[in-house]
């Protein structure tokens, strides 16, 4: 019998989303009779974990971590590993050790169908997800056990302020209370102080950004011109760094603007929509303006600083991205989509394989029947209603995900075997 089906479960938590979600999830698991341990790598991890008896600080160097996690698994009889994202070094190394020991690996991520869903998978997420090897035909075969209608996508992300607030608070603890973790190194290329300043600046400047966004969006929507929408993402995000062909966002900007200048009709425009959490580190506005001037299309290229996506998508001609999950909202609207990186939705039925200039000249629309089946499959499996950062979102998420973690099958096998629990996602979009 595998470790994940025995009565005694011991969960080892690593780093989670900023805020109290992992602490609350652990509490629910303890109520089932499971044991829970948490490894913290900095004072931010410790600040949001209120069950001190189960907290294990790791103060060593990165080179010590693989042997440490191997010993923790053995000493505590760990059966399950729980983490948020599978790319950062401490998580990738732990997954390697967990697989060697036969553990179940529970991976949380931001939702493929965000804003009001999060991703829960076993083994890996994004480019390491089981979805990467599945075809739409495979998914359709498994949907035979259900006839649930897929809900419409919400038009906004309901917990953006909380997300930014918890990020700033987390980095404050790391910056000012981290003396017990001398070996800690951030998994991103900025210092902790730099990360804190960016979060704080973003939080304080939200009113000004909102005004700027409103003005430029109004100009675009009242301009009367057709436009193509480029969906930007965070340059430091794992999906961009690990699952795309670009080393920097400027490479993507140059490629897209050059293709637009070559192929788009002269009356078409190009709109770059920034990620809602874009904090200015990549200087996108400046790079876009300079590149557009170089290609002679400065008067037809626009930059929108974050905000809601729905209003821009509703009038767009097509969408272009590296591998942003926001592309799913474009597909739901039937927009032609061009993708450059690895993505769980990059299926041939609904992602264009046209050369970029040809795509801008005459983009081919997706197979909407195939996409509807794909979307319904995700909402029946790995996409869980709720969120990490708002109290309401956490309550909704916990109603579903604890039983999913306790189940012997991962979400995809549970649907295939007919054991997946029904979900009332439609409540989230009212």
């Amino acid at each position: 019998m595998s470790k994940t089906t025995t009565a005694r479960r011991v969960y080892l938590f690593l780093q989670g989303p900023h805020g109290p979600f992992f602490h609350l999830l652990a509490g629910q698991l303890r109520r089932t009779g499971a044991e829970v341990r948490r490894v913290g790598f900095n004072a931010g991890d410790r600040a949001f974990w209120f069950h001190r008896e189960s907290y294990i600080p790791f103060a060593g160097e990165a080179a010590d971590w693989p042997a440490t996690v191997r010993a923790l698994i053995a000493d505590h009889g760990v059966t399950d590993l729980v983490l948020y994202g599978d790319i950062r070094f401490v998580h990738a190394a732990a997954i390697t050790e967990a697989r060697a020991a036969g553990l179940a690996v529970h991976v949380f991520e931001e939702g493929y169908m965000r804003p009001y869903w999060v991703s829960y998978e076993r083994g890996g997420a994004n480019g390491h997800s089981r979805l990467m090897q599945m075809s739409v035909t495979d998914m359709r075969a498994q949907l035979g056990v259900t006839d649930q209608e897929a809900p419409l996508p919400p038009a906004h992300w309901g917990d953006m302020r909380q997300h930014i607030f918890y990020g700033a608070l987390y980095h404050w603890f790391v910056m000012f209370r981290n003396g017990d973790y001398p070996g800690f190194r951030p998994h991103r290329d900025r210092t902790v102080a730099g990360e804190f300043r960016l979060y704080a600046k973003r939080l304080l400047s939200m009113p000004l950004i909102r005004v700027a966004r409103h003005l430029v969006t109004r100009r675009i929507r009242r301009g009367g011109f057709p436009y193509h929408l480029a969906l930007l993402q965070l340059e430091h995000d794992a999906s961009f760094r690990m699952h795309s062909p670009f080393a920097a966002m400027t490479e993507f900007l140059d490629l897209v603007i050059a293709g637009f200048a070559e192929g788009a009709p002269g009356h078409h425009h190009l709109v770059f929509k920034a990620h809602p959490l874009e904090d200015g580190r990549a200087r996108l506005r400046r790079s876009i303006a300079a590149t557009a001037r170089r290609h002679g299309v400065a008067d037809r290229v626009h930059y929108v600083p974050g905000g809601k996506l729905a209003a821009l998508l509703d009038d767009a001609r097509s969408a272009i991205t590296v591998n942003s999950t926001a592309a799913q909202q474009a597909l739901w609207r039937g927009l032609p989509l061009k993708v450059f990186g690895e993505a769980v939705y990059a299926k041939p039925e609904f992602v264009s394989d046209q050369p970029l200039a040809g795509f801008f000249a005459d983009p081919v629309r997706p197979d909407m029947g195939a996409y509807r089946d794909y979307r319904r499959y995700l909402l029946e499996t790995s996409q869980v209603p709720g969120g990490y950062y708002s109290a309401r979102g956490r309550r909704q998420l916990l109603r579903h995900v604890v039983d999913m973690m306790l189940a012997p099958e991962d979400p995809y096998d549970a649907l295939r075997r007919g054991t997946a629990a029904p979900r009332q996602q439609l409540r989230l979009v009212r």
Side-chain angles (χ1 to χ4, degrees):
M1 183 177 290
S2 72
K3 289 184 178 181
T4 59
T5 57
T6 58
R8 181 176 177 269
R9 303 284 285 269
V10 181
Y11 291 85
L12 182 65
F13 280 57
L14 301 186
Q15 291 188 299
H18 298 150
F21 171 69
F22 261 19
H23 169 75
L24 296 171
L25 175 61
Q28 292 275 37
L29 289 170
R30 286 192 193 93
R31 293 185 184 97
T32 72
E35 296 181 35
V36 180
R37 303 284 186 273
R38 167 71 186 270
V39 179
F41 299 87
N42 58 55
D45 293 339
R46 181 177 59 196
F48 292 110
W49 189 263
F50 308 109
H51 191 266
R52 297 307 183 196
E53 308 86 69
S54 61
Y55 184 76
I56 304 169
F58 175 75
E61 300 291 336
D64 303 326
W65 171 240
T68 300
V69 72
R70 192 182 315 132
L72 288 171
I73 290 171
D75 294 346
H76 293 278
V78 174
T79 61
D80 298 73
L81 183 70
V82 185
L83 37 77
Y84 172 72
D86 61 357
I87 295 298
R88 64 189 69 177
F89 169 75
V90 294
H91 288 177
I95 289 172
T96 298
E97 298 298 334
R99 286 174 176 161
L103 275 58
V105 178
H106 307 265
V107 182
F108 287 87
E109 253 292 4
E110 301 297 338
Y112 301 140
M113 310 297 291
R114 70 181 74 174
Y116 276 116
W117 293 272
V118 306
S119 294
Y120 165 74
E121 297 178 272
R122 304 268 180 98
N126 294 313
H128 299 144
S129 168
R130 286 184 61 186
L131 291 168
M132 298 298 294
Q133 283 72 52
M134 293 185 198
S135 68
V136 174
T137 300
D138 297 332
M139 297 175 188
R140 282 171 164 162
Q142 296 184 35
L143 284 172
V145 300
T146 177
D147 61 356
Q148 176 175 314
E149 291 293 325
L152 294 171
H156 66 281
W157 190 350
D159 54 7
M160 179 58 62
R161 287 194 185 97
Q162 295 96 322
H163 192 160
I164 296 172
F165 169 77
Y166 282 128
L169 186 58
Y170 178 92
H171 285 95
W172 184 90
F173 276 105
V174 177
M175 188 164 61
F176 294 111
R177 294 288 187 269
N178 218 48
D180 293 337
Y181 302 86
F184 172 71
R185 299 292 181 272
H187 65 277
R188 294 173 180 165
D189 57 2
R190 285 203 174 240
T191 65
V192 174
E195 290 283 349
F196 173 76
R197 283 193 295 270
L198 288 170
Y199 270 102
K201 179 182 176 182
R202 177 70 181 179
L203 194 62
L204 294 172
S205 62
M206 285 181 74
L208 293 176
I209 294 172
R210 189 179 300 113
V211 171
R213 181 170 60 241
H214 172 74
L215 293 175
V216 69
T217 301
R218 186 172 64 176
R219 286 200 301 271
I220 292 166
R221 299 197 70 190
R222 293 184 177 182
F225 45 75
Y227 61 85
H228 306 264
L229 189 60
L231 306 173
L232 299 177
Q233 53 209 103
L234 301 177
E235 187 177 75
H236 57 274
D237 184 74
S239 293
F240 182 87
R241 290 189 295 109
M242 303 300 295
H243 303 301
S244 89
F246 305 110
M249 187 61 71
T250 51
E251 297 177 9
F252 172 69
L253 300 178
D254 187 71
L255 180 67
V256 171
I257 293 173
F260 172 79
E262 177 184 353
H267 63 296
H268 283 206
H269 287 230
L270 176 62
V271 176
F272 286 93
K273 164 69 169 58
H275 189 280
L277 291 175
E278 180 56 55
D279 52 24
R281 73 182 71 193
R283 306 214 178 258
L284 295 176
R285 186 195 302 272
R286 183 183 303 175
S287 297
I288 289 168
T291 306
R293 285 194 300 270
R294 189 167 67 250
H295 288 283
V297 290
D299 59 335
R300 297 162 55 204
V301 175
H302 313 267
Y303 172 76
V304 178
K308 298 179 182 180
L309 182 59
L312 290 170
L313 279 173
D314 287 343
D315 294 321
R317 180 78 171 83
S318 71
I320 311 97
T321 189
V322 178
N323 53 9
S324 171
T325 57
Q328 303 253 23
Q329 293 190 45
L331 287 171
W332 182 247
R333 289 165 170 79
L335 294 179
L337 178 66
K338 183 70 177 175
V339 176
F340 291 92
E342 295 178 324
V344 296
Y345 57 81
K347 307 298 182 185
E349 290 86 350
F350 36 82
V351 171
S352 174
D353 62 356
Q354 297 170 273
L356 187 55
F359 178 82
F360 279 118
D362 190 20
V364 175
R365 296 182 62 181
D367 179 341
M368 286 304 296
Y371 180 69
R372 280 191 292 269
D373 289 339
Y374 165 86
R375 186 173 184 274
R376 187 158 68 92
Y377 179 78
L378 262 64
L379 291 174
E380 287 275 18
T381 54
S382 61
Q383 301 308 286
V384 190
Y388 301 122
Y389 307 105
S390 70
R392 187 185 70 167
R394 289 191 294 267
R395 288 194 299 267
Q396 184 72 353
L397 179 53
L398 289 168
R399 288 188 183 104
H400 295 274
V401 80
V402 176
D403 286 346
M404 296 174 71
M405 294 177 70
L406 294 171
E409 305 101 349
D410 78 356
Y412 306 118
D413 288 336
L415 181 66
R416 178 172 57 84
R417 296 175 184 174
T419 59
R423 302 181 196 163
Q424 301 298 319
Q425 292 116 326
L426 284 172
R427 292 188 302 171
L428 288 170
V429 297
R430 289 176 180 169

